[in-house]
Structure formats: C-alpha cells, structure tokens
Amino acid sequence: MINLHFSKPGLQTLVVDQGRTGYQSWGIPVGGAVDQSSASLANWLVGNPLTSPVLEITLMGPSIEIQGEGQIAITGADLSPKINEQEIPIFETINVTSGMKLSFGAPKKGCRAYIAVRGLWQLKPWFSSYSALACDSTGITKSSVIKKNSTLSIDAQSNISPKRIAKNQRPGYSNLLTVSVLPGPEFDSFSKDVLQQFLKQSFKLSPQSNRMGCRLNPELEISAGSEMISSGVIPGTIQITSSGQPIILLADAQTTGGYPRIANVISTDIDALGQMKPGDEVNFELVDLSDAQIAIAEKQKAFNFLS
C-alpha cells in the first residue's frame, strides 16, 4: 500500500478520470480530466489502465508526503515538481520510497499537471467515475477533493520497467492558441459583423475562467436579447452571453444553457484549452466536418503507442 498525505492541498487538487458519460440527461456533468490526453499519458507511464484515476493539479501544486514504495508519473503542465527539494523530470516513470516529499514550484508551461500512481486507488466510484463532482454541495465525492491533511491510499502493484515519453510525442503548450471550431446550432443567428469579429479577433482568458469554462475578453458587439430557451450543451460548446462574452465550456460545464451556441470546439483542441492560463490568447478558425475528422485521425495516430 502507498499513501499520499497532503500537508498542503495546492490551489485546486482533484481526483479525476475520464468522467461520467451517459448521465447528462440527468443533469450530471461529464467532469473528469480537463486535459484527457495528459491524464492518459500519466497512467500509461505507470502501467495503469488509461481509465484509472489521477490527480489533477492547477497552477499551484500541493505538498505530498509519500508513505510506502511505488511508482508515479507527472504529465501535463510543467509546475516545477521536486522530490525532497530536488527537481524531477516530467513525462517519465519515477520510483518513490517512503519518506519522500513531493512538492511543486513556479509554473513554467501550461496550467494543469496530472499525477498517476501505479496501483488500485482505494476510492468509491459514483456513477462509474472517481472524479470530483462539480459544485458538489452534498459531499458525494468529497474524497476526490483534496484538502489539507487529506490522505489517499493506493494498493500498489509490483513495479514496471520505467518508461519515458519522447519530447516529440509530448503535448506542446503555448500562450497563443488557434482553436478549430465547427458552426454551432445558433451560428447563423449572429450578424456577419459579429461572426467576423468572432473569427478575426484575438481573445484573452479571463481570471474568472475555471474547470466549467474559459471566459474570454473582449466581449462581442451584439444586440440585446441574446438569451434563449435552455438547450443542451457539451464540453467544447461556445456560448455567447447577453453581454457578448464568449464562454468555452469545459469538463465541469452544466448540461444545458440559455445562451446561443455560436460554435463548438473540435474534440482534439479541448485538451490544449485546458492548459491555457488567464491572460493567454485564443483565436478561432472555422473548419468543416472533414477537416475535423482529419484532425481527430491525426491525433489518434500520434497516440497509437498508448494502445
């Protein structure tokens, strides 16, 4: 058994996995890792099933006291991880022993890092997922929300031969991202001027952005009365609020929304959005369905080594 004791929780540290699919009709968000690719890479590095839970940490990492022996891997954002105050690499399998202290420093690239631990996580799933539930006021998934003095237990398995992901196979992060989008259900309800602004303007992530969505500035110049009857939304949906602010919905987004849906981010670009920080810039590029399918196929090919 390996135990992780959190002397400091970090800014936001959560247990996540691939989320809860199939329950949106009940009003339950998908949730799970915002950057699914990085979560899968972390599990691959320690020999876990890709669907296993991992820790998602945002910008300011936790301080973790390790009790027991096992293997870990850190992927995603480079948040300057250290063991016993010595810098350690990311995207590699790391052997750990009892008494080691894992901590993090200044963020270098990206926003969210993922920690996998080899073994079976001792948590109870809720609706087929271990992920922390967004806006959970009932405490259903409280064990998946890391607080000061939280402890996670993992039934450690025998070590595997260490792995490393080559630099050319690692996701790249930038503070300027071009996002491919498909027209949303209400795309044609916007004027040509608004659509041109949406597709030509660079937007910055607002500090109010979170796991529910990326809020962007500046606002679009729209006419009043843009709300509508609530309709279904998914991660990647881009809504335009009544004030003209674009919001890109992410993993913890609600299942319905009352703002017009101008576009949808193609699935291959959602992971990169999860690594954007407040102040980073986003541009939108309109693509057709065939372009989206090509991009999806290329990403699947790049990650074939996971299967």
Side-chain angles (χ1 to χ4, degrees):
M1 188 70 69
I2 183 170
N3 294 319
L4 307 180
H5 177 76
F6 295 82
S7 55
K8 294 181 180 179
L11 179 63
Q12 183 182 54
T13 304
L14 305 171
V15 176
V16 297
D17 51 25
Q18 293 187 337
R20 297 178 177 86
T21 56
Y23 302 103
Q24 291 94 317
S25 62
W26 296 3
I28 299 174
V30 175
V34 179
D35 180 353
Q36 289 283 344
S37 296
S38 291
S40 295
L41 290 171
N43 273 319
W44 181 81
L45 284 166
V46 297
N48 284 347
L50 302 187
T51 56
S52 298
V54 295
L55 285 167
E56 179 183 88
I57 63 179
T58 302
L59 287 176
M60 185 185 301
S63 295
I64 306 173
E65 298 169 3
I66 298 171
Q67 301 161 358
E69 297 185 359
Q71 291 178 308
I72 68 170
I74 304 172
T75 61
D78 186 349
L79 305 184
S80 305
K82 299 177 182 179
I83 287 182
N84 295 342
E85 297 302 320
Q86 298 296 314
E87 290 190 8
I88 57 172
I90 59 176
F91 291 96
E92 293 186 20
T93 312
I94 298 172
N95 295 328
V96 295
T97 57
S98 195
M100 286 184 170
K101 294 184 179 181
L102 174 62
S103 60
F104 296 81
K108 295 179 180 178
K109 286 185 179 181
C111 178
R112 293 177 173 92
Y114 294 86
I115 307 174
V117 182
R118 177 165 171 77
L120 302 175
W121 292 51
Q122 303 302 293
L123 293 167
K124 292 183 178 180
W126 187 73
F127 282 100
S128 307
S129 174
Y130 298 94
S131 294
L133 179 67
C135 303
D136 182 6
S137 60
T138 62
I140 292 173
T141 58
K142 64 180 180 180
S143 296
S144 294
V145 180
I146 303 303
K147 299 180 180 179
K148 184 177 181 179
N149 293 323
S150 290
T151 298
L152 288 176
S153 297
I154 297 97
D155 186 4
Q157 298 176 337
S158 56
N159 286 359
I160 61 169
S161 297
K163 303 177 184 179
R164 179 178 181 272
I165 296 172
K167 290 187 177 180
N168 64 353
Q169 292 179 302
R170 302 177 188 180
Y173 306 128
S174 170
N175 57 8
L176 177 60
L177 181 66
T178 297
V179 176
S180 296
V181 298
L182 294 166
E186 287 74 52
F187 182 85
D188 290 332
S189 68
F190 291 91
S191 70
K192 290 183 179 180
D193 289 341
V194 170
L195 293 176
Q196 185 176 29
Q197 186 183 2
F198 175 73
L199 295 170
K200 300 297 183 182
Q201 172 77 52
S202 290
F203 298 90
K204 288 190 176 183
L205 263 70
S206 160
Q208 282 71 48
S209 300
N210 53 34
R211 282 178 48 90
M212 295 188 73
C214 297
R215 292 180 174 269
L216 306 179
N217 292 316
E219 297 176 345
L220 299 175
E221 298 174 3
I222 63 172
S223 57
S226 62
E227 293 188 25
M228 61 181 201
I229 296 174
S230 290
S231 301
V233 294
I234 58 174
T237 296
I238 305 175
Q239 293 182 299
I240 305 298
T241 69
S242 54
S243 67
Q245 184 177 47
I247 302 177
I248 310 172
L249 301 184
L250 295 180
D252 281 351
Q254 71 278 12
T255 58
T256 61
Y259 295 120
R261 300 156 294 181
I262 194 171
N264 272 84
V265 178
I266 68 172
S267 59
T268 54
D269 286 352
I270 293 178
D271 289 342
L273 279 169
Q275 294 294 351
M276 302 293 280
K277 306 181 299 298
D280 288 350
E281 293 188 24
V282 175
N283 295 312
F284 297 110
E285 180 182 20
L286 192 66
V287 299
D288 59 27
L289 189 57
S290 62
D291 291 330
Q293 291 171 332
I294 291 171
I296 291 169
E298 288 178 348
K299 184 169 184 178
Q300 289 174 339
K301 183 178 180 180
F303 286 98
N304 276 346
F305 67 92
L306 292 178
S307 57

